Amino acid sequence: MKTAREVLDVPALRKDFPILSQKVYGKRLVYLDNAATSQKPRPVIEAMERFYTQDCSNIHRGVHALSERATRAYEDARIKVQQFVNAPEAREIIFVRGTTEGINLVAGSFGREHVGAGDEILISEMEHHSNIVPWQILCEEKGARLRVAPINDRGELLMEEYEKLLGPRTRIVAVAHVSNALGTVNPVREIVALAHSRNIPVLIDGAQAVPHRKVDVQDLDCDFFTFSGHKMFGPTGVGVLYGKAQHLEKMPPYQGGGDMISSVTFEKTTYNKIPYKFEAGTPYIAGGYGLAAAIDYLDAIGMEAIGEYEHGLLEYATRAVSGIPGLEIIGTAKEKAGVLSFTLDGIHPHDIGTILDQEGIAIRTGHHCAQPLMDRFGIPATARASLAFYNTKEEIDQLVLGLRKVIEVFG
Ligand code: PMP
C-alpha cells in the first residue's frame, strides 16, 4: 500500500497556492478552515484573469469575437462540470451562485409546484441552515410540514427512522452528502433508493462532498445535486445545480429576466429551454472560467488520490487530538470526510479560535450554520478544523501544539 506522501506530492501542490506561503502574526499560516472556503490554485486565478484581460464581454447574444470566445468558454465550463459529476447531459447543469441558491431554486420552483397543504418535506438533523430555511419558507407558504430524520450520538443518520418518515405525504427528501459540522458521510445512494422505492425525489446538498470525493450523480441516482465552486478550489459566487432533465423541463422558472426567455410580448412570454430557463440575467462569467480551471486542476490530481490522502490525514488528526485532556470530538461517524469538530472542557470555542489565530492557525468556531445540530448535541458551538489535500501532518502537529497552548492559557 502507498503511504500518504506517495499518493500526493503535497509540497509541490502547495506551491500552486500563493496564499499558503504567507505568515500571519509572524507565524507560518496553517489554514484549516477549508469547509468554510478553500484556497485557490494559480490556474484558477489565471483563468479568471484571462477572462478580464482577454475575453471580457457578455455571453450568448454577442456576434463579435470576444463574446464568441467567452460564450464558448462558459459553455465548455458547463460540459466540464457535467463530466466532473458524470451527469448524462450538459443541459442538466445549471449555473447558480452556490449551494444555497441551488437549494432555493429547487424549493422555489419544484417545491412550489409539487408541495401543497398537509404535504411533508423530509430533511435530516445534521443539515446546514441552507438546507433547512428554504424548505421552512416553502412550508410556511404552503401549509406543509418539515419532518426531520434523527441522528445518533456519533452523528450518523438513523436509517430506520429515516425510512419510517418516508410517508404518503412526503414530496421531497433533502439531505447533505457530507455534514459540514460533523464530517459524517451519509449513505446517499441508500437514502435515494429508499425514497425512490416510494416515488419520492431526492435533493443532495453536495457542498462538502465534491472537494473530497468522486461524485457520480448517475450512480447516486439523485434527482438534484448542488454544490459551491468556492469549496472546491474555485471562485466564490459560482456554483452548480444538477437536476434530471425530466424534472427541469417541467419546472417553472425560478427568476425572470434576460436569457431565460425565448420570446417576450406584453401579453405572453415563452421560456427558453433548459438550462437557460433557470439562468436569468448576466451570469458570473469569470466564475465559470475559474470553476472550469478548478475542475481541470482536481482532475489532474485525481479525486481518488485526494480522498485517500485526506482519509489518512483525518485519521492522523483524530489520533493526534485524542490525547489532549478535556478534548471531545463531536462527530465520530464510521464514514467521515475532511472535518474534525471538537470541544475543550470548560473553554469556549471562540477562545480556542482566538488563541490558535495568534499562532497563525485558522480554524472555525461557532455553530457552523447548523444550530439545530448543535442543539441536538446540547452545545452552543464547536471548534472545527477542516482539511484539504494541501494540508499536512506537520500542520496537524502545529494544531496540537496550539491546543496545548490554549489549555495553558485557559485551563
Ligand atoms: N451546505 C453545506 C453542507 C455547507 O457546508 C455550506 C457552506 N458552509 C452550504 C450548504 C452553503 O454553501 P454556500 O454558502 O456556498 O451557498
Side-chain angles (χ1 to χ4, degrees):
M1 207 170 110
K2 283 182 180 172
T3 65
R5 279 223 181 276
E6 288 166 332
V7 176
L8 296 185
D9 185 356
V10 175
L13 292 172
R14 286 179 71 88
K15 293 204 179 98
D16 294 332
F17 292 79
I19 206 166
L20 293 179
S21 59
Q22 72 180 283
K23 290 198 165 154
V24 175
Y25 309 120
K27 313 256 168 70
R28 245 190 58 208
L29 169 68
V30 174
Y31 188 78
L32 294 171
D33 194 17
N34 295 287
T37 201
S38 56
Q39 299 302 347
K40 323 304 172 200
R42 223 179 273 280
V44 169
I45 299 164
E46 286 167 359
M48 296 174 75
E49 192 182 357
R50 194 175 80 244
F51 172 71
Y52 286 119
T53 54
Q54 294 173 31
D55 298 352
C56 184
S57 55
N58 211 328
I59 54 171
H60 291 148
R61 288 169 304 279
V63 290
H64 56 81
L66 270 59
S67 177
E68 279 175 9
R69 271 204 312 262
T71 302
R72 202 173 319 121
Y74 196 70
E75 290 307 320
D76 283 351
R78 197 187 304 279
I79 292 166
K80 257 191 218 309
V81 172
Q82 176 207 346
Q83 291 163 349
F84 184 63
V85 296
N86 194 31
E89 299 179 66
R91 69 193 179 114
E92 296 174 305
I93 301 300
I94 299 161
F95 285 122
V96 288
R97 274 192 304 130
T99 309
T100 303
E101 190 175 43
I103 298 168
N104 274 279
L105 194 161
V106 176
S109 170
F110 184 89
R112 192 165 288 153
E113 191 96 324
H114 288 89
V115 176
D119 286 342
E120 296 178 357
I121 294 158
L122 179 56
I123 62 170
S124 90
E125 215 172 3
M126 71 178 90
E127 298 311 315
H128 186 281
H129 294 166
S130 291
N131 201 24
I132 302 173
V133 185
W135 304 115
Q136 276 175 333
I137 293 171
L138 180 65
C139 284
E140 233 164 77
E141 193 181 307
K142 296 288 189 173
R145 189 168 167 214
L146 191 67
R147 306 299 306 268
V148 183
I151 58 173
N152 65 20
D153 290 343
R154 290 192 300 277
E156 294 163 328
L157 189 64
L158 292 167
M159 289 301 284
E160 280 176 21
E161 299 301 316
Y162 161 71
E163 195 173 357
K164 274 191 226 154
L165 284 165
L166 291 167
R169 302 305 301 262
T170 314
R171 293 291 169 262
I172 189 164
V173 169
V175 291
H177 195 159
V178 176
S179 156
N180 67 306
L182 304 173
T184 308
V185 180
N186 279 317
V188 278
R189 247 171 119 220
E190 212 183 324
I191 288 169
V192 171
L194 285 168
H196 281 183
S197 68
R198 294 155 177 87
N199 285 323
I200 301 165
V202 180
L203 173 142
I204 304 293
D205 168 354
Q208 298 295 343
V210 287
H212 303 295
R213 49 178 37 231
K214 177 86 197 120
V215 166
D216 181 332
V217 293
Q218 292 191 66
D219 179 54
L220 298 178
D221 198 27
C222 52
D223 299 271
F224 301 100
F225 188 97
T226 182
F227 55 97
S228 305
H230 71 97
K231 292 183 199 282
M232 50 173 285
F233 317 99
T236 57
V238 66
V240 171
L241 172 69
Y242 155 78
K244 284 184 177 170
Q246 68 197 69
H247 295 310
L248 295 177
E249 277 179 337
K250 287 190 225 132
M251 282 160 54
Y254 165 61
Q255 292 179 328
D259 239 21
M260 54 73 72
I261 53 91
S262 104
S263 78
V264 178
T265 66
F266 286 121
E267 287 69 40
K268 180 154 180 63
T269 290
T270 54
Y271 303 128
N272 206 339
K273 55 190 194 232
I274 60 166
Y276 310 110
K277 181 171 74 176
F278 296 106
E279 294 182 351
T282 301
Y284 183 22
I285 308 166
Y289 277 59
L291 185 61
I295 290 173
D296 282 342
Y297 189 84
L298 288 171
D299 280 345
I301 304 172
M303 289 313 298
E304 276 80 12
I306 287 173
E308 196 179 324
Y309 174 78
E310 287 182 358
H311 183 72
L313 194 61
L314 184 60
E315 280 194 341
Y316 180 82
T318 304
R319 270 197 311 274
V321 300
S322 294
I324 296 173
L327 186 140
E328 187 186 352
I329 295 176
I330 308 294
T332 49
K334 227 182 252 151
E335 275 246 33
K336 278 184 70 173
V339 168
L340 189 71
S341 241
F342 56 90
T343 56
L344 270 178
D345 202 15
I347 306 174
H348 195 280
H350 288 316
D351 292 331
I352 303 175
T354 306
I355 298 288
L356 290 180
D357 176 49
Q358 287 161 12
E359 298 300 308
I361 304 166
I363 62 154
R364 182 141 300 231
T365 62
H367 52 61
H368 315 294
C369 293
Q371 277 180 345
L373 179 66
M374 297 295 117
D375 292 343
R376 158 67 180 77
F377 281 95
I379 49 177
T382 75
R384 180 189 72 186
S386 54
L387 310 177
F389 61 80
Y390 43 62
N391 290 124
T392 63
K393 285 185 180 172
E394 291 74 24
E395 289 182 308
I396 301 299
D397 295 342
Q398 286 300 113
L399 172 68
V400 171
L401 283 177
L403 290 172
R404 295 204 181 275
K405 199 158 208 167
V406 172
I407 293 171
E408 254 173 55
V409 175
F410 289 101

